[in-house]
Amino acid sequence: SLALGFLIAKETTIGLLIGAMARIVMSALHVAGFLIATQTGLAYAQTLDPTQGAQGAVMGNFLSLLGAVMIFLTNLHHLAIGAIAGSYRLMPPGEALPTADMAQLAISLVSGAFALGFQLAAPFLVFGFAVYAGLGLLARLMPQLQIFFVAVPINIVCGFLIFVTLLGAMMTIFLNFYAAQMGNFL
């Protein structure tokens, strides 16, 4: 019964690894959404995010839901099911866990997801820098102008226009990253 307990613990660990991989990939959209919301002025509106158990930016929640819908729409959820089946070939039952490989996979996945979040939000970071630099210059040239009342509507409208323009490309990049990461087990 002790050997059976170790086998169950090993299979549970592998299952948690695959589930954590999918969750970490989805967290890239949270990072991108938070950065986008911060740069466009929408981070002030924090909502309760039940998936994170905390408050999150509206854009992060929207991108996460859209990412999940796109995964199912493009049939990439079959890769997650295939990753479960492929895990039995890579780590057969009864053998020792490759903990060094698992740790390396987790580290590369977390860094890749974080980098992907920044890459998805990069146009908004450039936009935010340009807008805030211009508004700072305008505030110095015209100190009597209430720059905050001018800046917020312009920032939100321009942020939405950029978001609508880039949404298709952002989701394509995310889906390619998801497919590459879930393909590690195939």
Side-chain angles (χ1 to χ4, degrees):
S1 65
L2 187 61
L4 180 63
F6 283 130
L7 188 61
I8 291 172
K10 178 188 169 205
E11 293 301 318
T12 303
T13 304
I14 294 169
L16 287 174
L17 173 72
I18 295 170
M21 280 179 52
R23 183 67 189 116
I24 290 170
V25 170
M26 292 300 289
S27 71
L29 292 176
H30 276 284
V31 170
F34 180 76
L35 290 172
I36 290 169
T38 301
Q39 292 301 316
T40 58
L42 295 173
Y44 299 118
Q46 298 283 317
T47 59
L48 181 63
D49 184 6
T51 61
Q52 296 291 322
Q55 288 187 342
V58 174
M59 285 292 202
N61 294 343
F62 174 74
L63 285 176
S64 294
L65 289 173
L66 183 63
V69 168
M70 293 300 292
I71 286 170
F72 284 108
L73 186 67
T74 57
N75 286 330
L76 288 178
H77 63 283
H78 294 292
L79 288 177
I81 297 169
I84 295 169
S87 70
Y88 286 104
R89 272 181 303 199
L90 291 175
M91 296 171 269
E95 290 186 9
L97 280 177
T99 53
D101 292 338
M102 291 169 67
Q104 183 63 33
L105 177 67
I107 290 169
S108 67
L109 186 63
V110 168
S111 65
F114 196 69
L116 176 68
F118 267 101
Q119 288 171 358
L120 293 177
F124 297 93
L125 296 173
V126 171
F127 160 74
F129 177 74
V131 166
Y132 288 126
L135 291 174
L137 182 65
L138 185 63
R140 294 297 270 163
L141 293 174
M142 296 178 58
Q144 68 274 14
L145 177 67
Q146 295 295 328
I147 199 70
F148 185 74
F149 293 111
V150 175
V152 171
I154 291 172
N155 199 12
I156 291 173
V157 168
C158 291
F160 273 130
L161 289 175
I162 293 171
F163 185 71
V164 167
T165 304
L166 296 177
L167 186 61
M170 289 169 55
M171 285 296 111
T172 302
I173 292 169
F174 167 74
L175 291 174
N176 290 337
F177 181 75
Y178 180 85
Q181 295 306 317
M182 284 298 157
N184 285 336
F185 280 98
L186 296 180

